[in-house]
């Protein structure tokens, strides 16, 4: 008798846990991606850094100057930098996937 009562209760608790987890927007991740280029000649900057201000998270561009970083939805400041170039900061609200292309200027 107890088993008959506990089985539906366990199923209900498990199902409600899964549903509430799916409704939690704080766990939703989005990507920010794009290319970093030289503002003067348009060349891709290989190994340029993209850092997230206030977090210990960042990426570098690949051989094509392309970067991609995945973050939880929210507000961020991205810092784009490359040796010999002026740093650029961009404030974003991440509520969808974003494409941000950046041109850096030589110092």
């Amino acid at each position: 008798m107890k088993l008959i009562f506990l089985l539906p209760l366990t199923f209900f608790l498990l199902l409600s846990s899964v549903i509430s987890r799916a409704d939690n927007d704080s766990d939703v991740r989005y990507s920010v991606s794009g290319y970093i280029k030289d503002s003067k000649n348009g060349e891709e900057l290989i190994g340029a850094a993209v850092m997230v201000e206030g977090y210990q998270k960042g990426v570098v561009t690949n051989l094509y100057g392309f970067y991609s970083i995945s973050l939880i939805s929210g507000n961020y400041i991205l810092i784009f930098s490359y040796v010999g170039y002026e740093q650029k900061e961009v404030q974003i609200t991440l509520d969808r996937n974003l494409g941000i292309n950046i041109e850096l200027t030589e110092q």
Side-chain angles (χ1 to χ4, degrees), residues 13-100:
L13 290 174
L14 211 102
L15 183 62
S16 64
S17 170
V18 168
I19 291 172
S20 69
R21 193 149 212 232
D23 290 339
N24 188 356
D25 285 340
S26 67
D27 289 345
V28 176
R29 297 183 76 81
Y30 295 103
S31 293
V32 181
S33 59
Y35 293 89
I36 302 178
K37 297 183 178 188
D38 181 294
S39 65
K40 201 174 208 177
N41 60 24
E43 282 187 26
E44 295 83 10
L45 298 177
I46 300 167
V50 182
M51 298 296 297
V52 182
E53 185 176 81
Y55 297 85
Q56 292 182 347
K57 183 159 184 149
V59 296
V60 295
T61 57
N62 65 12
L63 294 174
Y64 306 101
F66 181 80
Y67 74 92
S68 181
I69 188 166
S70 177
L71 299 165
I72 295 172
S73 61
N75 297 314
Y76 299 96
I77 295 175
L78 299 180
I79 302 168
F80 299 87
S81 62
Y82 191 70
V83 176
Y85 286 75
E86 293 179 14
Q87 178 175 293
K88 189 176 272 190
E89 294 184 5
V90 176
Q91 189 169 2
I92 62 168
T93 298
L94 198 56
D95 56 3
R96 65 189 189 287
N97 292 327
L98 295 177
I100 300 177

